[in-house]
Amino acid sequence: MRKIYHEDDATLEILENKTVSIIGYGNQGRSWALNLRDSGINVIVGNPEDEYSHLCREDSFDYVSIKKASELGDIVMILLPDEVTPEIYLNEISRGITAGKTLGFASGYCVCYDQISFPEDVNVIMVAPRMLGELCRSFYLEGKGYLSMISVHQDFAGKALEITLALAKGIGSLKDMVMETTFKDETELDLFTEQALLPAFAVALKSAVEILIDSGYNRMESMLELYMSTEIGDVLKRAGEIGFVGQSNKHSPTSHYGTKSRMKRFEDLNMKPIMENVLKEIQSGDFAKEWSKEKENGYKNFKRMIVDFDQTKFAKAEKETLQELGR
Ligand code: NDP
């Protein structure tokens, strides 16, 4: 069984008189910086000069270039998008990662796919929240924890786990729990969820919306029924808390029977081979190569996919409905 840690398994002492440099002030970076500062830890932020840097100044952080932040930090947390990290690491961060420092990530991606190299005399650690960045902040403010996956990839002086747990405590995650994993497993399981489960859900939702609209049902009512009331989100939340089986019993017998009796038809679609293929691309590194290439080509295909999706009947119906609902 994987090792699990709770609030009492860590102290913040090891971070006293240390500086944590947050590289990147986006979804995760901002929450990390604010939560760590509110936990009494000395934080500086490194980010390019852009709209995020204004936000960073508004939040009253010491704001420096990425290069400077990498030099000044005892712990350097890289909270940049995974696909841009290798280049920025090479050009702006790596020279600041000197003996005894800790290099940290919120995702195992770049280390898992050998996209960056680091010296032998530093710690390399991960604290990967299983939570959207903005929610990491609001959960912290509410005094609630959230799950993170942690890993020590390289332990230089025997303190890497202590530092990792202190960071998890500082960002408020340990109030729930953190689980030990490896950079490889964190990366592959995270990508699999994004690439096997979410696309299947998106296609199912899009099909359902389009079928109901084509069958003459009221657009707004259909969308509210299917997902915009957020009931379906609550069902998934309950499934996460008490299990998919457990939450099934909370539905009416009509609902429960309807779901169970129709599941077989969807199983016949045989999604497993598609999912197995997705997993193979992740494990072999083919997906990572494809994504790096996409970045090199200026995200041309990715931008086209976004535009194409925005043109679908589903996306247009969603836009109109949201406008009418004033959301
Ligand atoms: P964001 O997309 O929010 O970007 C983070 C920062 O990177 C921004 O400040 C952005 O500034 C900067 N950045 C982007 N491109 C460049 C570039 N070319 N050069 C310099 N800076 C750049 O990232 P996330 O917070 O979503 O992700 C950060 C890490 O956290 C990733 O490893 C991700 O896997 C992990 N993670 C993310 C979660 C999430 O909820 N989003 C959940 C768990 C883990 P600007 O764009 O203005 O240049």
Side-chain angles (χ1 to χ4, degrees):
M1 190 171 148
R2 295 284 204 201
K3 197 150 187 196
I4 287 175
Y5 297 91
H6 296 282
E7 187 75 351
D8 292 344
D9 295 319
T11 73
L12 296 175
E13 269 166 44
I14 197 158
L15 301 181
E16 275 172 18
N17 306 316
K18 296 270 189 299
T19 297
V20 179
S21 288
I22 298 295
I23 310 293
Y25 204 66
N27 295 311
Q28 283 295 325
R30 182 165 189 252
S31 291
W32 272 73
L34 292 167
N35 292 359
L36 287 175
R37 182 173 66 185
D38 287 353
S39 295
I41 293 155
N42 183 32
V43 175
I44 57 171
V45 177
N47 199 62
E49 191 64 40
D50 58 16
E51 58 180 287
Y52 286 97
S53 54
H54 299 302
L55 183 60
C56 182
R57 288 199 184 90
E58 268 172 43
D59 290 337
S60 309
F61 277 108
D62 285 337
Y63 164 80
V64 292
S65 68
I66 289 181
K67 189 167 173 292
K68 192 84 195 154
S70 310
E71 286 164 8
L72 293 176
D74 301 291
I75 294 149
V76 179
M77 281 302 308
I78 301 189
L79 299 171
L80 299 165
D82 299 316
E83 79 282 7
V84 307
T85 293
E87 194 182 333
I88 299 175
Y89 179 78
L90 190 66
N91 297 330
E92 298 176 55
I93 301 173
S94 57
R95 271 180 287 278
I97 309 302
T98 48
K101 286 199 181 186
T102 296
L103 181 61
F105 298 88
S107 141
Y109 191 96
C110 294
V111 173
C112 169
Y113 292 118
D114 289 326
Q115 294 182 338
I116 66 167
S117 49
F118 32 79
E120 284 178 2
D121 53 5
V122 300
N123 298 318
V124 180
I125 59 116
M126 173 182 73
V127 180
R130 290 282 78 96
M131 187 62 70
L132 292 175
E134 61 180 24
L135 294 182
C136 295
R137 179 60 182 161
S138 48
F139 274 43
Y140 180 92
L141 291 173
E142 288 165 30
K144 287 197 289 198
Y146 48 90
L147 174 69
S148 291
M149 310 306 287
I150 61 163
S151 181
V152 172
H153 183 74
Q154 185 168 287
D155 187 359
F156 170 57
K159 296 279 183 201
L161 180 61
E162 211 180 317
I163 293 171
T164 309
L165 288 170
L167 288 168
K169 190 182 178 93
I171 61 169
S173 181
L174 265 182
K175 280 214 167 79
D176 181 22
M177 64 178 200
V178 303
M179 179 185 275
E180 222 168 26
T181 180
T182 62
F183 275 55
K184 180 177 179 295
D185 283 2
E186 188 277 338
T187 303
E188 293 180 358
L189 293 176
D190 191 40
L191 292 178
F192 184 74
T193 309
E194 291 161 0
Q195 296 177 25
L197 206 52
L198 282 185
F201 179 74
V203 170
L205 182 62
K206 179 174 172 295
S207 304
V209 167
E210 292 182 354
I211 285 167
L212 290 183
I213 293 173
D214 288 346
S215 303
Y217 288 94
N218 177 274
R219 168 173 48 74
M220 184 189 282
E221 188 182 349
S222 302
M223 298 189 99
L224 282 168
E225 183 65 44
L226 284 168
Y227 70 113
M228 282 193 174
S229 69
T230 73
E231 184 190 8
I232 199 79
D234 292 333
V235 167
L236 284 178
K237 187 165 183 286
R238 281 309 273 156
E241 289 161 357
I242 61 171
F244 199 82
V245 174
Q247 69 77 36
S248 301
N249 300 323
K250 309 277 175 203
H251 297 263
S252 71
T254 314
S255 158
H256 194 173
Y257 171 76
T259 302
K260 286 273 165 16
S261 63
R262 267 54 184 171
M263 263 175 72
K264 176 84 183 75
R265 300 183 193 178
F266 291 90
E267 270 168 19
D268 290 346
L269 288 177
N270 207 6
M271 282 192 285
K272 273 192 181 170
I274 302 174
M275 290 186 172
E276 280 162 2
N277 207 22
V278 163
L279 184 59
K280 276 188 198 140
E281 288 170 348
I282 293 168
Q283 290 171 328
S284 66
D286 284 352
F287 169 77
K289 283 187 203 130
E290 177 187 323
W291 184 218
S292 296
K293 207 166 144 209
E294 185 58 24
K295 188 220 159 225
E296 294 312 316
N297 290 335
Y299 303 103
K300 227 163 66 193
N301 294 318
F302 183 33
K303 284 179 190 162
R304 200 195 56 238
M305 287 171 203
I306 293 171
V307 171
D308 287 351
F309 193 78
D310 283 353
Q311 299 305 318
T312 59
K313 184 179 280 189
F314 166 75
K316 286 181 180 165
E318 184 173 78
K319 198 172 165 196
E320 283 168 21
T321 305
L322 286 170
Q323 265 167 6
E324 285 165 13
L325 287 168
R327 290 185 188 166

